[in-house]
Amino acid sequence: MSSSIFSSVAKNQVKKCFNIHDLRNLAKQRAHKMVFDYLDSGADDEICKKNAQEAYHKTKFKYKVLSGVDSPINLTTKLGKYKLGIPFFNCPTAGNKMFHVDGESAVATIAEKYKTIYSISSLCTTPLETITPLHSQPKVFQLYLWKDKALLKDVIQKAKESNYNILALTADFGFYGKRERDLRNGFTIPPSYSINQIVEAIKAPQWTTDYLMSPGYTYACLNNNVSADSLANFVKNQLNPAFSWKDAEYIINEWGNAGPVALKGVVRPDDAKIACDIGFDIMWISNHGARQLEHSVNTYDVLPEIRKTIGDNKQIILDGGIMRGTDIVKAIASGADAVGIGKAYLYGLTAGGIHGVDRAYEILIDEVERACGLLGIQSIEQLKREGKNLLTI
């Protein structure tokens, strides 16, 4: 599928990556510094980003022996009524074609390959209807807190018409986080023609050649007049910090019976309870990839209490800091129904387009399967039932 002239090179390079950290290193080598730092960074001092990954390290496994586990491990699971081939999926992320010309289509194709959810951002660079024939599994459309109600209604209608099954309202983006690497790099898409940006482009010949030989892109869910390089100003002007629970109810009503509605950005049990009470079906525990409020709580740490508060009748998705299959296993064992990965698959996309995304999924699937087998667990559903007895701090 890859349209990159370096596709065969990328395919061979990503085969030599044995974990997500290897894909990250390859992505750093290939991409323009400005693009890689946009992907890799967190807010302010990036303490929250560091803590998100380290949160999983505190939990240890109490594995069972002589459990009669046989290969292959059954990785299928359910998120509500939807059956997933694997217990994780991609988080919605803006501007995928910025990282690689394969863009959102590559991620959707790989999600289809592994029979899992595909999730797309309101700030996607591929039209929603382009994704529909590539992905027959459940699809999530992510929505921001825009001020313009006409824009909200328009994008919701587009998602319905393109057969998206789940709406995810992102609630932690009322203000734009301070990503200091972007400020230092003079982040613009496309790159400005400053001396620094030109020098960095020369240092990244694969990314630069792909970029120069590919058509320009806009953000497909927005007005076509909103070019990629004016996106930051558009987003800042459209963000609505006054967005309230009443506005959230309006979104639920607009979505109607098109499918479940998730609230993305929940980290407090009391907020989760309110969300359940007003009609949200899925609690999506997230702190926006540690890119918004510095010193936010670790999503993994708040998962057990939120699960206890809302009970088993509502679904929980968790993202934040996932870099290993063992992280996914710990999240499922602690109460998540499914896990979202963000930077992990974007490192793959940036490193090698569709081949890199595929490699990221292969790595995590292998790690999840191995961890379950060594724990004495035959399936993800068994992990959900017995998970708490397999963990200790």
Side-chain angles (χ1 to χ4, degrees):
M1 171 196 165
S2 180
S3 57
S4 167
I5 64 171
F6 297 102
S7 178
S8 60
V9 173
K11 188 174 183 179
N12 290 329
Q13 287 177 324
V14 298
K15 283 182 179 177
K16 299 175 184 178
C17 293
F18 300 108
N19 57 38
I20 299 300
H21 299 284
D22 289 346
L23 285 174
R24 178 187 178 276
N25 291 336
L26 186 57
K28 187 175 184 179
Q29 292 172 29
R30 177 188 173 275
H32 193 291
K33 182 179 188 298
M34 176 191 69
V35 169
F36 177 79
D37 280 351
Y38 172 80
L39 157 59
D40 191 61
S41 65
D44 299 0
D45 294 313
E46 302 189 9
I47 295 169
C48 184
K49 177 197 168 191
K50 177 175 178 286
N51 289 345
Q53 295 178 15
E54 293 182 350
Y56 299 96
H57 302 170
K58 295 180 295 184
T59 302
K60 311 302 180 187
F61 289 124
K62 294 186 295 182
Y63 58 88
K64 302 188 295 183
V65 297
L66 303 178
S67 298
V69 174
D70 194 12
S71 183
I73 306 299
N74 183 354
L75 298 185
T76 63
T77 190
K78 281 189 172 184
L79 181 69
K81 66 179 181 180
Y82 301 115
K83 185 176 180 180
L84 313 182
I86 54 176
F88 64 90
F89 65 95
N90 74 294
C91 289
T93 52
N96 283 192
K97 286 187 178 180
M98 170 185 13
F99 307 113
H100 195 282
V101 294
D102 286 356
E104 289 87 357
S105 295
V107 186
T109 300
I110 298 306
E112 174 73 9
K113 175 179 177 179
Y114 294 108
K115 301 188 185 326
T116 192
I117 287 172
Y118 171 69
S119 183
I120 198 167
S121 169
S122 291
L123 298 176
C124 57
T125 48
T126 301
L128 301 185
E129 59 271 22
T130 300
I131 299 298
T132 303
L134 300 176
H135 190 270
S136 63
Q137 308 299 319
K139 293 185 286 293
V140 174
F141 177 73
Q142 175 271 331
L143 185 68
Y144 284 114
L145 309 176
W146 301 137
K147 290 177 182 175
D148 186 346
K149 280 200 172 183
L151 176 59
L152 287 172
K153 292 184 74 168
D154 180 58
V155 294
I156 288 172
Q157 186 59 35
K158 283 181 182 178
K160 289 181 180 181
E161 291 172 356
S162 299
N163 298 318
Y164 282 73
N165 315 90
I166 302 170
L167 181 70
L169 177 64
T170 292
D172 57 359
F173 202 63
F175 292 84
Y176 198 85
K178 186 183 181 187
R179 293 89 185 258
E180 295 182 2
R181 285 200 236 177
D182 292 350
L183 297 174
R184 293 190 184 95
N185 288 332
F187 177 78
T188 61
I189 292 297
S192 64
Y193 290 99
S194 66
I195 296 297
N196 182 60
Q197 298 291 29
I198 292 171
V199 169
E200 292 301 334
I202 292 169
K203 291 180 182 177
Q206 289 189 30
W207 184 92
T208 302
T209 303
D210 282 347
Y211 172 76
L212 292 175
M213 296 188 68
S214 302
Y217 60 85
T218 57
Y219 286 81
C221 288
L222 306 180
N223 187 307
N224 287 334
N225 294 325
V226 181
S227 61
D229 56 340
S230 62
L231 176 70
N233 287 333
F234 173 85
V235 170
K236 288 176 183 178
N237 290 333
Q238 273 292 336
L239 290 179
N240 185 7
F243 206 96
S244 68
W245 289 109
K246 184 177 179 180
D247 296 310
E249 288 186 81
Y250 166 80
I251 297 297
I252 293 172
N253 291 332
E254 280 296 314
W255 186 246
N257 60 1
V261 186
L263 185 63
K264 186 174 183 291
V266 179
V267 296
R268 293 173 59 103
D270 53 351
D271 280 346
K273 186 177 186 309
I274 295 171
C276 290
D277 290 343
I278 70 169
F280 282 97
D281 307 288
I282 302 169
M283 300 303 108
W284 192 325
I285 303 175
S286 175
N287 61 17
H288 215 89
R291 294 164 65 78
Q292 285 293 98
L293 179 62
E294 181 68 297
H295 305 292
S296 296
V297 293
N298 302 320
T299 55
Y300 177 63
D301 289 343
V302 301
L303 169 60
E305 190 176 0
I306 290 178
R307 170 55 77 194
K308 181 179 178 181
T309 298
I310 68 172
D312 295 328
N313 293 328
K314 298 287 185 176
Q315 306 299 301
I316 291 179
I317 296 168
L318 177 131
D319 72 45
I322 301 291
M323 292 290 283
R324 285 282 187 180
T326 48
D327 301 337
I328 294 171
V329 170
K330 289 175 183 179
I332 297 291
S334 298
D337 293 287
V339 173
I341 60 170
K343 287 181 170 62
Y345 82 89
L346 288 179
Y347 291 140
L349 179 65
T350 306
I354 190 170
H355 307 301
V357 178
D358 195 13
R359 185 62 183 143
Y361 275 65
E362 284 178 345
I363 288 167
L364 291 174
I365 289 168
D366 177 66
E367 290 179 350
V368 169
E369 186 170 19
R370 181 178 295 104
C372 285
L374 290 172
L375 279 168
I377 295 294
Q378 185 68 64
S379 69
I380 296 299
E381 293 306 305
Q382 183 187 1
L383 178 65
K384 288 181 177 181
R385 293 192 304 271
E386 302 181 16
K388 291 179 182 178
N389 294 324
L390 299 168
L391 304 178
T392 188
I393 296 178

